[in-house]
Amino acid sequence: MSKLQAVFIDRDGTIGGTGHFIHPREFVLFPGAQEALLALKEKGIKVIALTNQHNIAKGRATEQDFIEQFAAYGFDASYICSHEPQEGCACHKPRPGLLHLAAQEHDLDLTSCAVIGDVGSTDMLAAAAVGARKVLVKTGWGQDSLDTYRHKWYDQAKPDYVADDLRDGVRWLIQDMD
């Protein structure tokens, strides 16, 4: 595989939390998640948050709360959809609007990028839509995505790798580059 330009990483269930909304001030990273982010950065790979957060529209948090959280974790940028899923915006995963925006703003070739997430029907479909590498983590909703909801997405967006967690997924991406 050619050098990765960026890795887009989902938040809830991927870097920490439960898969459900948790306010940024109460959110806890999974063990090894911070080290995984640093490992990407040490390889010169941009680390970009890519998350659906419709609870912003409900007033349960602000976009700034998330931006500050991602910056504190060392993300280079964050792309956040604050819309309700039924609004039909272009940025709510699985739609690839935020990926296209990030590619434009950071001069990225999305086929030289990867998406790591825990939901096949959003994260993996968004990655497939732009030709990015697809890494599904089993944390959060990941195992359910594979076991219960596989029929909704797998044929269209089979992961390139199924990881136990973010650390495992990052390790695989880095090894796959060498």
Side-chain angles (χ1 to χ4, degrees), residues 69 109 157:
Q69 176 188 46
D109 172 358

Side-chain angles (χ1 to χ4, degrees), residues 50-99:
L50 180 70
T51 184
N52 291 339
Q53 293 294 336
H54 65 271
N55 281 292
I56 293 171
K58 294 177 180 175
R60 295 181 64 194
T62 67
E63 189 168 343
Q64 191 62 35
D65 291 331
F66 289 96
I67 291 168
E68 290 171 6
Q69 176 188 46
F70 291 129
Y73 294 155
F75 281 86
D76 296 299
S78 53
Y79 290 83
I80 303 161
C81 173
S82 61
H83 305 106
E84 294 281 359
Q86 64 273 20
E87 287 184 50
C89 64
C91 60
H92 194 278
K93 294 180 293 181
R95 291 178 210 87
L98 289 177
L99 289 165

Side-chain angles (χ1 to χ4, degrees), residues 6 25 36 46 55 105-106 112 123 134 137 144:
R25 72 177 159 262
K46 286 185 189 299
N55 281 292
E105 291 181 353
H106 296 277
S112 294
D123 303 312
K134 301 170 295 301
V137 294
D144 278 345

Side-chain angles (χ1 to χ4, degrees), residues 110-150:
L110 292 172
T111 64
S112 294
C113 296
V115 174
I116 301 176
D118 68 320
V119 180
S121 61
T122 58
D123 303 312
M124 297 304 101
L125 286 174
V130 299
R133 303 280 289 189
K134 301 170 295 301
V135 177
L136 182 80
V137 294
K138 292 181 184 177
T139 53
W141 295 106
Q143 195 63 57
D144 278 345
S145 280
L146 286 168
D147 297 342
T148 307
Y149 301 103
R150 182 185 206 106

